[in-house]
């Protein structure tokens, strides 16, 4: 049971890492990219990991994934500080986030 909770928290955090990018790409939509945040976060993490592993800058492993997640986290924090309204928009869409998480859990 603990593993399921751990994986859900990991996917939730990676979805939060992908939200600023999905917001900037889909801000004109009513959902502001909330439904695409997890997909973009996972795709971004996979693409950067593959590029770095393919170029042999680092050995592929858990350390590389944590470094990439940390870099994405700091870039997103920078985006949040640059655009203060983004955080308020995320909080104001809490019902939509809840719906997207329920859909994610059902699927």
């Amino acid at each position: 049971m603990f593993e399921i909770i751990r994986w859900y928290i990991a996917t939730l955090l990676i979805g939060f890492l992908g939200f600023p990018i999905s917001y900037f790409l889909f801000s004109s939509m009513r959902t502001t990219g909330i439904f695409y945040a997890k997909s973009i976060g996972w795709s971004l993490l996979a693409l950067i990991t593959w590029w770095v592993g393919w170029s042999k800058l680092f050995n592929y492993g858990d350390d590389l994934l944590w470094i990439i997640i940390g870099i994405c986290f700091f870039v997103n924090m920078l985006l949040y500080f640059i655009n203060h309204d983004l955080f308020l928009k995320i909080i104001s869409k809490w019902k939509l986030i809840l719906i997207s998480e329920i859909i994610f859990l059902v699927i």
Side-chain angles (χ1 to χ4, degrees):
M1 184 67 170
F2 178 71
E3 293 294 322
I4 293 171
I5 294 170
R6 193 172 92 181
W7 271 101
Y8 175 71
I9 291 171
T11 59
L12 184 70
L13 292 175
I14 290 173
F16 284 137
L17 289 178
F19 184 74
I21 296 168
S22 67
Y23 174 77
F24 289 119
L25 290 175
F26 303 107
S27 62
S28 62
M29 296 176 66
R30 187 177 70 86
T31 60
T32 62
I34 290 173
F35 288 105
Y36 304 112
K38 275 190 192 217
S39 300
I40 290 175
W42 279 103
S43 299
L44 184 66
L45 180 64
L47 182 66
I48 293 172
T49 303
W50 180 78
W51 275 341
V52 172
W54 177 75
S55 66
K56 302 212 183 346
L57 293 173
F58 293 101
N59 291 331
Y60 177 78
D62 291 342
D63 296 335
L64 175 63
L65 291 173
W66 284 111
I67 289 170
I68 292 170
I69 288 172
I71 290 170
C72 289
F73 175 76
F74 285 116
V75 168
N76 286 333
M77 286 294 111
L78 181 67
L79 289 174
Y80 283 128
F81 286 124
I82 290 171
N83 187 1
H84 297 297
D85 296 333
L86 180 61
F87 186 70
L88 297 175
K89 288 179 184 179
I90 292 171
I91 293 173
S92 69
K93 302 273 186 183
W94 69 270
K95 290 179 186 176
L96 196 57
I97 293 172
L98 183 63
I99 290 170
S100 71
E101 289 302 315
I102 290 170
I103 290 172
F104 175 75
L105 287 172
V106 169
I107 293 177

